[in-house]
Amino acid sequence: MSTELRIIPITGIGEIDPDADLGTLIYEALQQQQLTLQTGDVLVVTQKIISKAEGRLVNLDDVEPSEFAKTFAERYEKDARHVEVVLRETKRIARMDRGIIISETYHGFICANAGVDESNVEGGQFLTLLPVDSDVSASTIRSRLQQLNDEERPIEIAVIVSDTWGRAWRNGQVNMAIGVAGMEAMVDYRGQRDAYGYELRASMIAVADELSAAAELVMGKVDQVPVALIRGYHYSPAAGTVHTLTRDSATDMFR
Amino acid sequence: MSTELRIIPITGIGEIDPDADLGTLIYEALQQQQLTLQTGDVLVVTQKIISKAEGRLVNLDDVEPSEFAKTFAERYEKDARHVEVVLRETKRIARMDRGIIISETYHGFICANAGVDESNVEGGQFLTLLPVDSDVSASTIRSRLQQLNDEERPIEIAVIVSDTWGRAWRNGQVNMAIGVAGMEAMVDYRGQRDAYGYELRASMIAVADELSAAAELVMGKVDQVPVALIRGYHYSPAAGTVHTLTRDSATDMFR
């Protein structure tokens, strides 16, 4: 049975230092909003604050660009050091055209510039890289929240790390999951039947991506809302991993 | 300022006949749930009930497959009549491999099987096609709801038509917008600056897709929830069209 969903912006988390304890910061922010975690809650956390807390920052002054990076950067009026960092985070280039690099990252994600970002980091001479393993980042935050929640048994919650990415064929970006802990990232309806008894064809739903997209709607881009609490969604508890959602290259027709 | 979002499943709409007045059916379903439309509400409606109401059904018995459809169907153990209908809805085939057809439709969408679907239609010998113009479908529902709402001035609401599609590079499907009325499908943050004064890079957000994805979370697949009401999202009122989100082939690196 489907019930109403609430998506609550979590504010007041403030600036994130390297080695910040994000679980504790999120817990304190929830308390400030008079929110108590409940079984079934999903927290969506943006990649930016995780990359900062995990020190996934590169100072552009420390980067020596390769000739390849220099040539590409010059042709498209980009910063060669930035291009160099993108290349270092890239396992394989899926497309490289019109100044755009679509990377396959070492995580197995396909995204623009290997997820390297320049906005929103103090000083402006720094780039943020994606977390090394966002499943671990999500799991760490989840464990800390369970610990701080101070129940007799750990509360059943899920944590998703999200980033804002473009898509093939569609303009604009949406939030997608890059790390998952505490829930199945995918819901599998295969074998289930609709109201007429027919087996469902559209049957594997990437719910972690949908939860990430839903969370973005309360985050905005300039509002400093790095976390959203989703309440009322009935997920399947599991260890969880985003790699349920990363398509294997053997079955990918667009790589 | 970001506020809490509510996503409310709308149930009790029941079976849809050709020529059904969806706006009226949705209005009655809202009333049954004691819901009164408010300015700023977004209604997300699944493609399936719109295709049914608009008579976008094909009886497989009426389809004579081409040789091309027959050969492909035989190779991959598919129904040649189904393949034929997919081909008729396809302007251009983007990929055709392992029994999968990724179509560019006449609307400019890229999706599997041109959006032709067999599940959830009575009798089982019928296929549903995408609406001819889902922007018009959305606009028609919106106007009817405004009319029935019986205010002195038409209430400001938005309507999105959504369908469940796969993506390149990612496993699983998510709901995306295929028709929009009453709001900008995209939010443009270009030129805005973050808390440090830096111009935002990730700056065009496909909010109609995110609202569609969010709505899917209360719809499920077997629960008969064809409509969701999203309350608390601050969109930009506009005539609106999904074609803001369909990437032009000239700028598409994956077509």
Side-chain angles (χ1 to χ4, degrees):
Chain A
M1 186 52 207
S2 203
T3 51
E4 180 177 329
L5 218 75
R6 295 171 61 198
I7 309 179
I8 305 164
I10 308 301
T11 55
I13 286 174
E15 196 38 44
I16 302 296
D17 298 318
D19 297 320
D21 178 349
L22 278 185
T24 299
L25 292 175
I26 292 168
Y27 186 78
E28 289 169 357
L30 289 166
Q31 284 191 311
Q32 276 169 28
Q33 286 181 240
Q34 265 93 54
L35 289 165
T36 307
L37 285 174
Q38 298 175 4
T39 286
D41 281 349
V42 180
L43 283 152
V44 181
V45 184
T46 50
Q47 162 270 330
K48 280 207 176 76
I49 64 168
I50 292 176
S51 290
K52 287 183 195 172
E54 295 180 357
R56 296 283 289 160
L57 302 172
V58 174
N59 188 335
L60 275 179
D61 292 340
D62 299 338
V63 178
E64 188 58 53
S66 65
E67 287 305 315
F68 182 53
K70 279 185 200 166
T71 311
F72 183 80
E74 196 169 312
R75 181 163 172 197
Y76 294 105
E77 294 178 355
K78 301 200 169 281
D79 185 326
R81 301 168 301 172
H82 190 152
V83 173
E84 177 64 27
V85 174
V86 170
L87 293 174
R88 289 179 191 175
E89 293 295 305
T90 298
K91 184 178 163 195
R92 186 183 145 270
I93 292 175
R95 295 287 190 284
M96 191 173 192
D97 205 4
R98 294 190 295 272
I100 299 162
I101 296 174
I102 308 292
S103 307
E104 181 177 335
T105 72
Y106 290 94
H107 321 84
F109 302 136
I110 312 273
C111 59
N113 297 318
V116 173
D117 206 341
E118 64 187 354
S119 78
N120 225 9
V121 173
E122 208 161 358
Q125 290 298 299
F126 287 85
L127 301 178
T128 53
L129 314 180
L130 292 185
V132 173
D133 185 337
S134 298
D135 282 342
V136 171
S137 312
S139 183
T140 303
I141 292 170
R142 179 172 182 265
S143 300
R144 178 52 54 95
L145 286 168
Q146 288 179 318
Q147 181 194 342
L148 292 168
N149 201 57
D150 197 28
E151 302 275 331
E152 247 176 73
R153 289 192 309 174
I155 192 170
E156 188 55 65
I157 56 171
V159 175
I160 295 172
V161 179
S162 76
D163 198 6
T164 313
W165 286 353
R167 295 89 42 88
W169 319 318
R170 305 278 282 184
N171 288 320
Q173 300 176 305
V174 297
N175 266 24
M176 295 189 198
I178 65 168
V180 178
M183 65 175 286
E184 294 287 3
M186 184 100 80
V187 169
D188 189 346
Y189 293 101
R190 283 177 301 183
Q192 293 194 47
R193 287 167 192 282
D194 66 21
Y196 306 98
Y198 294 102
E199 204 167 308
L200 296 172
R201 188 185 61 83
S203 48
M204 303 275 283
I205 306 293
V207 290
D209 282 337
E210 293 189 327
L211 289 161
S212 300
E216 200 284 324
L217 295 166
V218 302
M219 288 176 170
K221 277 289 150 280
V222 286
D223 280 349
Q224 300 265 48
V225 182
V227 179
L229 170 63
I230 301 183
R231 183 160 281 174
Y233 179 68
H234 301 289
Y235 61 79
S236 305
T241 168
V242 73
H243 293 292
T244 319
L245 304 182
T246 49
R247 196 184 280 274
D248 185 58
S249 61
T251 68
D252 194 338
M253 295 190 278
F254 296 93
R255 198 173 299 209
Chain B
M1 186 53 207
S2 204
T3 51
E4 180 177 329
L5 216 75
R6 295 171 62 199
I7 309 179
I8 304 163
I10 308 302
T11 55
I13 286 175
E15 196 38 44
I16 302 297
D17 298 317
D19 297 320
D21 177 350
L22 279 184
T24 299
L25 292 175
I26 293 168
Y27 187 77
E28 289 168 355
L30 288 167
Q31 284 191 311
Q32 276 169 30
Q33 287 181 237
Q34 263 94 56
L35 288 165
T36 307
L37 284 174
Q38 297 174 4
T39 286
D41 282 348
V42 180
L43 284 152
V44 181
V45 183
T46 51
Q47 163 270 330
K48 280 206 175 73
I49 64 169
I50 290 175
S51 290
K52 286 184 198 174
E54 295 180 357
R56 294 284 289 160
L57 301 172
V58 174
N59 188 335
L60 276 179
D61 292 339
D62 298 339
V63 179
E64 187 58 51
S66 65
E67 287 304 315
F68 182 52
K70 280 186 201 167
T71 310
F72 184 80
E74 196 169 313
R75 182 164 172 196
Y76 294 105
E77 295 178 355
K78 300 201 169 281
D79 186 325
R81 299 169 302 173
H82 190 152
V83 173
E84 177 64 27
V85 174
V86 170
L87 293 174
R88 288 180 191 174
E89 293 295 306
T90 298
K91 183 178 165 194
R92 185 182 145 270
I93 292 176
R95 295 287 190 284
M96 191 173 192
D97 204 4
R98 295 191 294 274
I100 300 161
I101 296 173
I102 309 291
S103 307
E104 180 177 336
T105 72
Y106 290 94
H107 321 84
F109 302 135
I110 311 273
C111 60
N113 297 317
V116 174
D117 205 341
E118 63 186 353
S119 79
N120 225 10
V121 174
E122 208 161 357
Q125 291 298 300
F126 286 85
L127 301 178
T128 54
L129 314 180
L130 293 184
V132 173
D133 185 337
S134 298
D135 282 343
V136 171
S137 312
S139 182
T140 303
I141 292 170
R142 179 172 181 265
S143 300
R144 178 53 53 97
L145 286 168
Q146 287 178 318
Q147 180 194 344
L148 292 168
N149 201 56
D150 197 28
E151 302 275 332
E152 246 175 75
R153 289 194 308 174
I155 193 170
E156 189 55 65
I157 57 171
V159 174
I160 295 171
V161 180
S162 76
D163 198 4
T164 313
W165 287 352
R167 295 87 43 88
W169 319 317
R170 305 278 282 184
N171 288 319
Q173 300 176 304
V174 298
N175 266 26
M176 295 189 198
I178 64 168
V180 178
M183 65 176 286
E184 294 286 2
M186 185 99 82
V187 169
D188 189 346
Y189 293 101
R190 282 178 303 183
Q192 293 195 47
R193 287 169 190 280
D194 67 21
Y196 305 99
Y198 293 103
E199 204 168 308
L200 296 172
R201 188 186 61 84
S203 48
M204 302 275 283
I205 306 293
V207 292
D209 281 337
E210 294 189 325
L211 289 161
S212 300
E216 200 283 325
L217 294 166
V218 303
M219 287 175 169
K221 277 288 151 277
V222 286
D223 280 350
Q224 300 265 49
V225 182
V227 178
L229 170 63
I230 301 183
R231 183 160 283 174
Y233 179 69
H234 302 289
Y235 61 78
S236 305
T241 168
V242 73
H243 293 292
T244 319
L245 304 183
T246 49
R247 197 186 280 275
D248 185 58
S249 61
T251 69
D252 195 337
M253 296 191 278
F254 296 93
R255 197 173 299 209

